[in-house]
Amino acid sequence: MFTGIVTDLGEVRALEHRGDLRARIGTTYDMKTVDMGASIACDGVCLTVVDMGDDWFDVDISAESVSKTNIGGWEVGTRLNLERALKVGDELGGHIVSGHVDGVAEILRVEDEGDSTRFTFRAPGDFGRFVAPKGSVALNGTSLTVNEVDGSEFGVNIIPHTKDVTTWGRARAGDRVNFEIDTLARYVARLADWQGERG
């Protein structure tokens, strides 16, 4: 589990197809404190550390994960939002994030509003019904608060600090971003569906 609070900016150093996709990711994490097999969210995708060095770690990525995320667009030099898994007793600054991406959203518009920046997104498929005003959504691994919703479109404001410490300062209209709905919204929607099915 994660919180959607990004703690490092990583960089893709190498990509190798070997059945699954293997990615080497550069990091400023102290890798002596990371166990082999640990989970690290990379742009919101929960991935398992399979090898490591002083300032890098390797992950294997299945075809299923590539098909459901924006990983297919990664290339050497791509910057990634990183977050290590939540430990018992850690501060929960964002919201509960599983790292199981639901699909890929598209940035439709980017507009400055004072010092902040307003991003408008299109949710993938029919996932717009899970997005609520003042609710939470994880985008590229970042916990963000939804401002407004209009069908499958929704907006968020990103403050300068967030742009400075994440990849959001480089984001542009047309970019595809990893989208994970709030866990609470998922269960509320399923409960409503269940009640409807039972008549």
Side-chain angles (χ1 to χ4, degrees), residues 134-193:
K134 306 310 175 191
S136 296
V137 65
L139 298 168
N140 276 356
T142 312
S143 174
L144 296 168
T145 301
V146 176
N147 288 334
E148 75 286 324
V149 179
D150 181 9
S152 65
E153 295 185 15
F154 63 96
V156 302
N157 271 54
I158 297 182
I159 63 173
H161 171 77
T162 301
K163 290 191 293 183
D164 288 344
V165 300
T166 69
T167 60
W168 287 106
R170 301 173 178 83
R172 300 291 180 266
D175 287 356
R176 293 162 34 92
V177 299
N178 294 322
F179 170 94
E180 181 186 332
I181 61 174
D182 181 48
T183 300
L184 180 60
R186 186 187 313 274
Y187 285 110
V188 168
R190 178 58 187 139
L191 179 59
D193 288 346

Side-chain angles (χ1 to χ4, degrees), residues 99-144:
H100 301 156
V101 170
D102 293 295
V104 178
E106 180 186 358
I107 302 176
L108 299 179
R109 292 180 295 280
V110 180
E111 303 159 303
D112 289 333
E113 286 191 355
D115 292 331
S116 298
T117 302
R118 168 67 61 94
F119 285 79
T120 303
F121 301 89
R122 180 183 295 116
D126 64 352
F127 283 102
R129 69 190 184 101
F130 294 99
V131 182
K134 306 310 175 191
S136 296
V137 65
L139 298 168
N140 276 356
T142 312
S143 174
L144 296 168

